[in-house]
Amino acid sequence: SLNESDVMSIMELSNIENSWKLLLLLGIGVFMESLDIQYLEIMKQLATEQKLYLIIADSDYIYGTNYQFCHGYVSKDLSTITQEKAIQAMGRVGRNKIQQNYTIRFRDDAIISKLFIPSEIKPEVINMNKLFNSN
């Protein structure tokens, strides 16, 4: 439920198409690099206040999302998600025990398999080694 102040701040966004504003007014936020930073800040605030029904994001936003989700859906189009990102996605659900019911739904069994089978290729580990290796 948005209050009048929330609606005004959304409608005053000048660099955002009306379709994105409408989605936000309906309680649907979208994480996308090409969206205006003001839109993203308003969406983050609404998420923190639990005023959003749904947040749509790709796997790259899993690490930067520290919101308290009650339900998570990992869609079929994320079939190339890494094991670490799948674990991170699961860890975003059920934080701070706001509710008693939490769910995580995977729309592709292959993603669930990644959780239990050791992964040979770990891009996150490779990237961290590059960052901290002084050679």
Side-chain angles (χ1 to χ4, degrees):
S1 60
L2 301 177
N3 59 36
E4 187 176 337
S5 172
D6 297 328
V7 173
M8 292 297 292
S9 62
I10 293 167
M11 294 310 294
E12 289 173 349
L13 291 170
S14 58
N15 296 329
I16 295 292
E17 292 180 32
N18 288 336
S19 57
W20 298 115
K21 292 179 188 180
L22 180 61
L23 283 173
L24 202 51
L25 290 170
L26 292 172
I28 300 171
V30 179
F31 268 118
M32 207 164 73
E33 277 186 58
S34 63
L35 291 175
D36 186 69
I37 190 72
Q38 288 179 318
Y39 167 88
L40 294 174
E41 291 304 316
I42 291 171
M43 188 193 68
K44 289 177 186 179
Q45 181 62 36
L46 294 174
T48 301
E49 296 171 0
Q50 293 190 333
K51 292 183 176 181
L52 293 180
Y53 172 73
L54 176 70
I55 296 177
I56 300 171
D58 68 9
S59 64
D60 290 335
Y61 284 100
I62 290 171
Y63 288 110
T65 305
N66 285 317
Y67 307 112
Q68 303 160 1
F69 296 115
C70 297
H71 307 285
Y73 297 87
V74 181
S75 66
K76 292 178 183 179
D77 62 338
L78 292 176
S79 61
T80 60
I81 192 171
T82 63
Q83 184 181 45
E84 287 80 11
K85 285 184 180 180
I87 292 168
Q88 285 290 325
M90 291 175 59
R92 299 301 183 238
V93 176
R95 290 180 168 199
N96 296 335
K97 299 179 183 173
I98 295 171
Q99 279 185 228
Q100 298 301 315
N101 297 321
Y102 305 102
T103 62
I104 300 174
R105 293 186 174 109
F106 291 91
R107 300 285 307 187
D108 186 353
D109 289 344
I111 299 170
I112 296 172
S113 297
K114 287 182 183 186
L115 296 172
F116 300 104
I117 299 172
S119 176
E120 298 288 328
I121 301 169
K122 298 184 179 213
E124 293 83 5
V125 172
I126 293 167
N127 289 337
M128 291 301 285
N129 283 332
K130 286 179 185 177
L131 283 172
F132 294 113
N133 191 352
S134 61
N135 292 337

